[in-house]
Amino acid sequence: MADKNGFLLRIITPDRVFYENQVDMVEFNTTEGEIGILPGHIPMTVIVKPGILNISEPEADKEAALHAGFAEILPESVTILAEIVEWPGEIDEKRAMAAKDRAEERLHNRTPETDIARAETALQRALARIQVLK
């Protein structure tokens, strides 16, 4: 049964505690697909994939660009250890668009030396940054 008080969400990067608060729900991408977490979720650990992080607080919803990491999900808390996570105000749109263009160019004009996985990940990160700005 879901707790009416939500659960504790912690998002930690190597540089800072990005977020720590009670939330009603959190959604983000994993290597297995998009996941939505409510209070009382079964315990699990997942690998984070680049995409939009949606945080539902009692007062409002927030979005951020979440790039990679791991998440520990427990019934009363979620901890995300992220390489990079950015609020919309922290994103340089021109730089994100340039990164998207570079990644698309690498994928379009691939050679045997092209690291496809790296180019695809760069494209996913750039698209997450751009989407969170819209």
Side-chain angles (χ1 to χ4, degrees):
M1 184 164 177
D3 180 356
K4 292 180 180 167
N5 295 322
F7 60 92
L8 178 63
L9 173 63
R10 283 186 211 96
I11 304 170
I12 302 165
T13 72
D15 301 332
R16 62 184 168 157
V17 175
F18 177 80
Y19 183 90
E20 189 169 17
N21 202 5
Q22 289 291 122
V23 301
D24 296 326
M25 183 171 83
V26 63
E27 298 172 286
F28 55 91
N29 289 336
T30 74
T31 55
E32 301 299 316
E34 188 172 351
I35 187 170
I37 302 161
L38 294 167
H41 198 287
I42 61 168
M44 61 188 337
T45 302
V46 296
I47 300 171
V48 174
K49 184 176 175 185
I52 303 295
L53 169 72
N54 293 297
I55 301 170
S56 296
E57 294 180 331
E59 309 82 38
D61 292 343
K62 295 181 176 183
E63 286 188 335
L66 177 60
H67 299 295
F70 297 90
E72 177 190 47
I73 301 163
L74 299 171
E76 68 284 345
S77 68
V78 173
T79 302
I80 300 173
L81 301 175
E83 287 180 22
I84 301 170
V85 60
E86 301 162 301
W87 295 117
E90 298 172 332
I91 297 169
D92 181 331
E93 186 173 10
K94 289 180 185 177
R95 189 171 172 219
M97 291 298 290
K100 174 186 156 298
D101 293 343
R102 281 192 310 274
E104 287 176 337
E105 180 69 22
R106 282 195 309 259
L107 290 169
H108 182 67
N109 297 322
R110 60 178 81 170
T111 67
E113 294 80 33
T114 302
D115 185 339
I116 303 299
R118 185 174 175 194
E120 287 173 345
T121 300
L123 180 59
Q124 290 171 347
R125 288 179 177 188
L127 290 173
R129 285 181 171 122
I130 293 164
Q131 287 175 336
V132 85
L133 289 172
K134 304 275 180 218

